[in-house]
Amino acid sequence: MVEDILKVFGITAQQSGVSTGKHWLPAHGADIISVSPVDNKKIATVKSASREDYDLVVAVAQEAFKVWRMWPAPHRGEVVRQVGEALRQHKEQLGKLVSYEMGKSLQEGYGEVQEMIDICDFAVGLSRQLHGLTMHSERPGHRMYEQWHPLGITGIISAFNFPVAVWSWNSMLAWVSGNVCIWKPSEKTPITALACQRIVETVFVANNVPEGVCSLVTGNREVGEWMAHDTRVPLVSATGSTRMGKSVGAAVGERLGRSLLELGGNNAIIISQDADLDMSLIGAVFGAVGTAGQRCTSTRRLIIHESVYDAFTARLVKAYSQLRIGNPLDQHNHVGPLIDTAAVAAYQQSIEQVKQQGGTFLVEGGVLSGAGFESGCYVKPCIAAVENVYRIVQHETFAPILYVMKYQTLTEAIAMQNDVPQGLSSAIMTLNLREAEQFLSQAGSDCGIANVNIGTSGAEIGGAFGGEKETGGGRESGSDAWKAYMRRQTNTINYSTSLPLAQGIKFDL
């Protein structure tokens, strides 16, 4: 199956990971071997970029920007529309490849490609709406307005858990805005990036898009560091851990560049005494075990009213007993593997810390072995009764570990929800209008995303995506997130016969 998919995208067993969107360049860096967590089989070997390879790609991108920025935005949008059509044609193959290389369920793999298609549609419409404002001038015979111009090169550093969708959030908006992009994909999922590059370059070549508008530079951490320190890259969009984001943010900030950071989450759902418990169960379970707990929006904590705590946790335990764990390409399975054995080790360490810090398990965890689990990356989703102040609860573990805790008043629950370093996604399950409005008020959730009667996971592309505090403060995808990829310019035009100064200043010669 995988071999056939690789053939569709023209990916060979030994493949360069450096492309300018028109040519695949010889790469001179280290080999990156992509191994599937599903069955521990090698997918392909990718040759990564050396510093010289990286510098060549940046130079080509700089020249491409001079041409691409002059294309009318609707024409750029038409190219992105065609990218969306190409993704539609390859949805099944790319979705399977995402599932196999990353380990998420096949339905989630298909969903990730659909998210790419959706952002293409959004960007096409946006290409005709990159609007500014007009303002009344205090000076007679003057007109003021503001407009938006592209920044230049957008550097994109993506994470393994959404190996293609988050790249598309950035690239599609950056392209219609007139920017060029250089993508550094996760070294854990390079093959899906190669497939996307093949899809896009076919469209770009057919439309005579300048070489360098869409570039790929595969590599390890050092490639991201080159990008973060590179003054030729005015915007770096980085998705990953808070630790990584702090490093990128510091490097980009030191050179007064711009960074768009999408970092860790420690997301909670408040289960009210007035909640629909059936609805709450679906939201909590999917949020906790979807993508094997490896989403930045995964549900990590359930803050449950004491009056429904016993009833709801009993339902939760029963639901966990019905989860099917196994090959994610089998659509009967709910939970696939973690990305690699290092993630499994972090999962095991977190379980031990829960026990050491006083937590008790309602559903025990563990690593699965035997037939179908030979890769060593399959683990049991588990549930621990804890206190919010435990050090491990304050930390984001990228694994299916769900923490449950009690509350008495909504004010207390909101304080518990907010009392973690991260601030990405949050939710409350309640049929009480007052509770819902309090949760969404200025004194409510401090997260970038706050939901009522849906879970923390599964954002739509129409809204701006991102969070506060150690989540980084960036916003991607919908709403006016496009402004992050552009620079604002204020213009004043004098069409009078004199030159009056602002603030009534007199300067006569």
Side-chain angles (χ1 to χ4, degrees), residues 112-125:
E112 182 161 352
V113 181
Q114 185 61 50
E115 195 165 359
M116 301 173 73
I117 295 167
D118 292 344
I119 200 66
C120 286
D121 290 347
F122 178 86
V124 172

Side-chain angles (χ1 to χ4, degrees), residues 24-332:
W24 288 84
L25 307 179
H28 303 89
D31 286 344
I32 297 175
I33 301 174
S34 177
V35 177
S36 171
V38 175
D39 53 17
N40 206 34
K41 292 182 179 179
K42 175 183 173 181
I43 302 174
T45 298
V46 180
K47 178 68 75 172
S48 66
S50 66
R51 181 62 201 237
E52 291 73 20
D53 301 331
Y54 167 82
D55 285 333
L56 176 58
V57 168
V58 173
V60 174
Q62 285 181 300
E63 292 304 309
F65 174 61
K66 297 175 184 178
V67 179
W68 181 243
R69 66 185 176 183
M70 300 307 296
W71 281 41
H75 291 185
R76 299 192 295 255
E78 167 58 20
V79 176
V80 169
R81 185 194 67 78
Q82 294 179 35
V83 172
E85 290 302 310
L87 288 169
R88 284 181 171 90
Q89 295 170 14
H90 291 94
K91 179 177 177 178
E92 182 175 357
Q93 299 102 319
L94 186 56
K96 286 181 178 177
L97 186 58
V98 167
S99 178
Y100 185 67
E101 186 176 35
M102 186 268 147
K104 64 175 58 178
S105 73
L106 185 56
Q107 283 298 316
E108 292 182 81
Y110 289 150
E112 182 161 352
V113 181
Q114 185 61 50
E115 195 165 359
M116 301 173 73
I117 295 167
D118 292 344
I119 200 66
C120 286
D121 290 347
F122 178 86
V124 172
L126 179 65
S127 69
R128 293 182 181 270
Q129 299 184 67
L130 299 172
H131 50 74
L133 298 171
T134 60
M135 293 79 74
H136 287 282
S137 173
E138 67 182 62
R139 292 170 284 189
H142 285 60
R143 180 167 68 89
M144 290 180 63
Y145 71 98
E146 68 177 26
Q147 59 181 330
W148 295 81
H149 296 302
L151 288 169
I153 298 174
T154 297
I156 303 169
I157 302 172
S158 61
F160 75 86
N161 59 331
F162 280 86
V164 294
V166 175
W167 162 74
S168 72
W169 290 359
N170 286 274
S171 58
M172 304 307 162
L173 298 194
W175 286 333
V176 298
S177 299
N179 296 291
V180 301
C181 297
I182 300 176
W183 182 17
K184 188 271 177 198
S186 169
E187 60 270 27
K188 296 182 180 182
T189 51
I191 308 304
T192 48
L194 298 181
C196 288
Q197 185 73 9
R198 293 287 193 188
I199 292 170
V200 171
E201 70 182 9
T202 300
V203 174
F204 276 31
V205 169
N207 285 272
N208 295 314
V209 173
E211 180 179 8
V213 173
C214 170
S215 298
L216 177 70
V217 182
T218 304
N220 293 309
R221 178 179 176 179
E222 62 181 0
V223 176
E225 292 174 347
W226 298 337
M227 192 178 288
H229 287 90
D230 195 340
T231 57
R232 297 169 295 178
V233 183
L235 172 64
V236 177
S237 176
T239 303
S241 68
T242 297
R243 177 193 56 78
M244 180 277 291
K246 288 180 177 179
S247 175
V248 170
V252 176
E254 186 178 22
R255 60 179 174 86
L256 297 181
R258 301 188 189 186
S259 58
L260 199 170
L261 302 176
E262 298 289 355
L263 311 176
N266 194 347
N267 316 294
I269 301 177
I270 297 172
I271 310 292
S272 164
Q273 73 270 34
D274 294 324
D276 180 326
L277 296 187
D278 292 332
M279 183 186 297
S280 302
L281 186 66
I282 296 171
V285 175
F286 176 75
V289 307
T291 322
Q294 297 172 113
R295 291 184 178 214
C296 52
T297 55
S298 289
T299 304
R300 308 286 176 203
R301 299 173 294 143
L302 292 184
I303 304 171
I304 308 169
H305 192 272
E306 60 182 5
S307 67
V308 296
Y309 179 88
D310 291 339
F312 189 74
T313 54
R315 291 188 184 208
L316 202 59
V317 169
K318 182 179 179 181
Y320 268 54
S321 70
Q322 298 170 346
L323 292 174
R324 292 184 295 274
I325 307 168
N327 188 325
L329 294 172
D330 180 347
Q331 297 194 56
H332 292 95

